Amino acid sequence: MLILQNISYQHENKDMLFQNVSFNLNHHDKTALVGNNGIGKSTLLKIISGELKAFSGQINQKSRPYYVPQLFGQFNELTIAEALKIKDKIKSLKEILEGIVTEENLLLLDDDWTIEERCHEALSYWNLLDLDLNQKMETLSGGQKTKVFLAGIIIHQPELVLLDEPSNHLDFEGRNLLYDFVKSTSSSLLVVSHDRTLLNILNKTLELSKNGISVYGGNYDFYNEQKKVENHALEQDVQNKEKALRKAKEKERETIERQNKLDSRGKKKQEKSGVARIMMNTLRNNAENSSSKLKDVHAEKISGISEDLRQLRSNLPAIDQMKFGFNTATFHKGKIFFKANEINYSYENQLLWKENLSFDILSGDRLVLKGLNGSGKTTLIKIILGELTPKQGNIASLEKKSIYIDQDYSLLDNNLKIYEQAQLFNDCGLEEHDVKMRLNRFLFSQNDWDKPCKALSGGERMRLMLCCLIISNESPEIIILDEPTNNLDIQNIEILTAAINEYSGTLIVISHDQFFLEQINIQKSIQL
């Protein structure tokens, strides 16, 4: 059905993004494509869809695949029918049914007499029946745009579907519809996603790296177990190479010490035996040359081992190269620091919630805030943070240090450089080298320190945010995360998960990623 042979892609600046990508998809394959942020997963989907041209290699496929992109801004000026490329067919069908049976209309319809029924079926499945096909895409929410393109699969019935982060903008209900659809569809799928629930439904996993594709014959959990085995072997290689480097340095020291002793002993003998000065100089030069050669031999060996070690360490997962260290929250576990009693809020004299809300938040709680778009999650967060006052009911709240982190990590100042941003959180006056050491720990090397924050990817912004929190003198008593995994790949989600699990304060999360919520040990929920 789809065969890729030695596909490579090069940026305009001649940097090679990936090369020698080869794999094949068969009928009814449901395959995940995983890899680190920036490795080129979306680019590869665009090459397969025909939107981009490969630098080299060949693609063989029976028919053009149906492509659901990650971003939809380019469709804003189009109607839903235009974005789905069904406008002409529906127009022709309506004209034919009205008696305007022209050759052009018949050609455009192409005997597709059930197009309207499939549109109704598709929109009904994705709960979009309230939309008009002539409605502009710009009037839709992110979740609705995603569902429109997912509906196109039912409408067009393609053999191969390419999905790029299809669950990003979907709520719990939308995600469950997506999971059911993926299980039941007869189309072959190639899916780029960080949604591990979705990835576990798929039966094969491809990992993209700079050097090509690695194939794993199972779902994400199977892939993850295989990666653990590979990473364990890599860690053993790193440890063995570190041991070899220590031995090489020790051997160098011992050899030089032995040579120096021999040279010193020889010199004393020569002085006692009355060797002529000119001969003494010749012997001394020979000894120095011999020592220099020994040093060169050992230096070359040490340099080779050091380079091997550097290469091995660069292949370690990023999470293994980091160290977290949040300070302990000041409130003891179980202390009530927010209490809501029959509260509600109103916009234009219209109450936001049908039922008043009553709940407690205790120090150390880990809770999720659930609700559809427009259900008032952001309003409730602002009430908890003290930025809004409820219109009815009452609240009791202790003074607390809190931090709100949205999916774009907009707490970072885009006008600052990475080092300047880190210093902004340096409340306890760390020395410059201590701040830079912590930046290095979060994979921001010296070459990155002057990079502007606005140039960072989602994963880099998340890592810088975590680094800033750790540089800060005190951990906040409460951290609120609003859809924190939306713009992250799996590796960066795992980094965020590990950091959150080291944090002992109170955590409130807005997220539709059930797998992530389970990993960070969410114990309570507030449903709006």
Side-chain angles (χ1 to χ4, degrees), residues 444-461:
F444 295 106
S445 66
Q446 185 174 350
N447 295 330
D448 299 317
W449 296 338
D450 288 330
K451 187 186 293 185
C453 291
K454 64 184 176 184
L456 301 181
S457 68
E460 289 170 329
R461 292 177 73 83

Side-chain angles (χ1 to χ4, degrees), residues 185-212:
T185 183
S186 59
S187 296
S188 297
L189 304 176
L190 182 59
V191 183
V192 170
S193 179
H194 64 259
D195 182 342
R196 287 162 291 184
T197 302
L198 172 58
L199 295 177
N200 274 328
I201 299 171
L202 308 174
N203 53 29
K204 186 163 73 172
T205 303
L206 305 176
E207 182 186 53
L208 178 63
S209 69
K210 285 186 177 181
N211 299 317

Side-chain angles (χ1 to χ4, degrees), residues 66 79 94 118 126 131 225 254 286 299 302 308 360 417 485:
Y66 181 84
T79 65
K94 286 182 176 178
R118 294 201 310 280
W126 294 104
L131 298 185
E225 287 303 314
E254 290 175 351
N286 289 340
I302 289 170
D308 290 344
D360 296 341
K417 296 174 182 177
T485 64

Side-chain angles (χ1 to χ4, degrees), residues 268-499:
K268 287 178 182 176
K269 283 184 179 180
Q270 290 153 11
E271 287 173 348
K272 284 182 180 179
S273 60
V275 177
R277 181 176 294 278
I278 189 167
M279 180 60 75
M280 287 278 287
N281 288 338
T282 301
L283 292 171
R284 186 178 67 251
N285 288 338
N286 289 340
E288 288 174 355
N289 287 336
S290 176
S291 295
S292 179
K293 285 179 182 177
L294 278 172
K295 287 179 180 178
D296 288 344
V297 168
H298 284 285
E300 186 176 346
K301 184 176 181 181
I302 289 170
S303 176
I305 295 173
S306 296
E307 177 58 23
D308 290 344
L309 183 57
R310 189 191 68 77
Q311 289 285 353
L312 286 171
R313 281 176 174 161
S314 70
N315 290 325
L316 284 170
I319 194 168
D320 291 339
Q321 300 176 47
M322 293 187 193
K323 292 180 182 176
F324 306 108
F326 285 110
N327 295 322
T328 304
T330 54
F331 290 165
H332 66 77
K333 196 172 179 68
K335 185 179 183 68
I336 298 176
F337 66 67
F338 185 87
K339 187 177 185 69
N341 183 34
E342 295 293 318
I343 67 168
N344 214 320
Y345 197 81
S346 64
Y347 290 100
E348 299 177 353
N349 298 320
Q350 179 68 41
L351 287 177
L352 182 56
W353 300 299
K354 290 181 179 178
E355 296 181 5
N356 295 337
L357 305 180
S358 296
F359 60 89
D360 296 341
I361 298 177
L362 310 181
S363 177
D365 271 354
R366 301 174 88 83
L367 63 90
V368 60
L369 191 54
K370 295 182 178 181
L372 300 176
N373 289 343
S375 61
K377 298 188 293 293
T378 302
T379 299
L380 183 55
I381 289 298
K382 288 182 177 179
I383 290 174
I384 293 171
L385 292 175
E387 296 174 11
L388 289 177
T389 303
K391 300 301 183 191
Q392 60 185 54
N394 55 74
I395 59 173
S397 179
L398 296 178
E399 187 174 336
K400 54 195 175 292
K401 182 179 179 182
S402 58
I403 188 165
Y404 174 78
I405 303 173
D406 62 15
Q407 59 185 289
D408 296 319
Y409 299 88
S410 51
L411 198 63
L412 301 177
D413 187 340
N414 283 334
N415 296 316
L416 295 180
K417 296 174 182 177
I418 287 176
Y419 176 71
E420 294 171 338
Q421 179 67 65
Q423 280 288 14
L424 201 63
F425 278 75
N426 187 11
D427 304 325
C428 55
L430 288 174
E431 296 290 336
E432 180 179 327
H433 71 274
D434 286 321
V435 173
K436 290 177 176 177
M437 180 182 72
R438 284 161 175 76
L439 285 170
N440 270 314
R441 189 190 298 170
F442 280 80
L443 310 185
F444 295 106
S445 66
Q446 185 174 350
N447 295 330
D448 299 317
W449 296 338
D450 288 330
K451 187 186 293 185
C453 291
K454 64 184 176 184
L456 301 181
S457 68
E460 289 170 329
R461 292 177 73 83
M462 180 275 297
R463 283 193 278 111
L464 181 56
M465 187 73 258
L466 288 177
C467 184
C468 288
L469 289 179
I470 287 166
I471 286 171
S472 180
N473 186 31
E474 289 184 12
S475 291
E477 275 82 36
I478 180 170
I479 293 179
I480 299 172
L481 297 168
D482 191 348
E483 296 289 0
T485 64
N486 262 13
N487 298 314
L488 304 183
D489 62 6
I490 292 174
Q491 177 176 260
N492 281 304
I493 291 174
E494 289 174 348
I495 290 169
L496 177 62
T497 300

Side-chain angles (χ1 to χ4, degrees), residues 50-257:
E51 286 198 11
L52 286 177
K53 188 174 180 180
F55 175 71
S56 62
Q58 285 186 323
I59 298 179
N60 298 312
Q61 52 191 340
K62 277 188 173 183
S63 58
R64 188 181 179 91
Y66 181 84
Y67 175 48
V68 179
Q70 183 177 357
L71 304 173
F72 305 102
Q74 67 271 36
F75 303 103
N76 279 346
E77 295 305 311
L78 303 179
T79 65
I80 294 173
E82 288 171 337
L84 291 177
K85 298 180 180 177
I86 56 174
K87 177 185 175 183
D88 291 341
K89 269 193 179 184
I90 289 177
K91 179 174 177 287
S92 297
L93 176 63
K94 286 182 176 178
E95 289 186 1
I96 290 170
L97 293 176
E98 290 169 1
I100 310 173
V101 186
T102 64
E103 187 176 341
E104 182 185 4
N105 279 339
L106 290 171
L107 190 64
L108 286 170
L109 183 60
D110 193 24
D111 280 340
D112 192 357
W113 300 99
T114 62
I115 180 70
E116 278 195 322
E117 286 88 342
R118 294 201 310 280
C119 284
H120 186 274
E121 177 193 350
L123 296 177
S124 175
Y125 180 88
W126 294 104
N127 297 323
L128 298 174
L129 282 176
D130 56 332
L131 298 185
D132 187 325
L133 289 176
N134 294 315
Q135 190 172 338
K136 283 285 186 76
M137 289 288 289
E138 65 184 355
T139 64
L140 308 183
S141 68
Q144 287 174 318
K145 288 176 183 177
T146 301
K147 288 179 180 179
V148 162
F149 276 87
L150 290 170
I153 303 172
I154 297 173
I155 295 169
H156 290 287
Q157 299 179 332
E159 290 186 337
L160 174 62
V161 179
L162 310 174
L163 300 172
D164 194 354
E165 298 288 1
S167 61
N168 253 14
H169 300 287
L170 300 181
D171 55 22
F172 282 107
E173 181 186 4
R175 288 188 181 214
N176 286 329
L177 284 173
L178 175 64
Y179 303 151
D180 290 340
F181 180 79
V182 167
K183 290 174 186 174
S184 62
T185 183
S186 59
S187 296
S188 297
L189 304 176
L190 182 59
V191 183
V192 170
S193 179
H194 64 259
D195 182 342
R196 287 162 291 184
T197 302
L198 172 58
L199 295 177
N200 274 328
I201 299 171
L202 308 174
N203 53 29
K204 186 163 73 172
T205 303
L206 305 176
E207 182 186 53
L208 178 63
S209 69
K210 285 186 177 181
N211 299 317
I213 285 277
S214 299
V215 181
Y216 297 82
N219 64 7
Y220 178 76
D221 280 347
F222 176 83
Y223 158 79
N224 201 30
E225 287 303 314
Q226 294 299 113
K227 290 299 291 183
K228 285 178 182 177
V229 172
E230 291 175 14
N231 290 334
H232 178 70
L234 179 60
E235 288 168 6
Q236 290 297 114
D237 289 344
V238 168
Q239 290 174 12
N240 291 338
K241 196 62 70 174
E242 287 173 341
K243 188 176 180 181
L245 183 61
R246 287 195 300 270
K247 281 189 173 181
K249 288 181 176 179
E250 189 177 330
K251 183 72 173 174
E252 177 192 41
R253 180 180 55 76
E254 290 175 351
T255 302
I256 291 172
E257 285 179 356

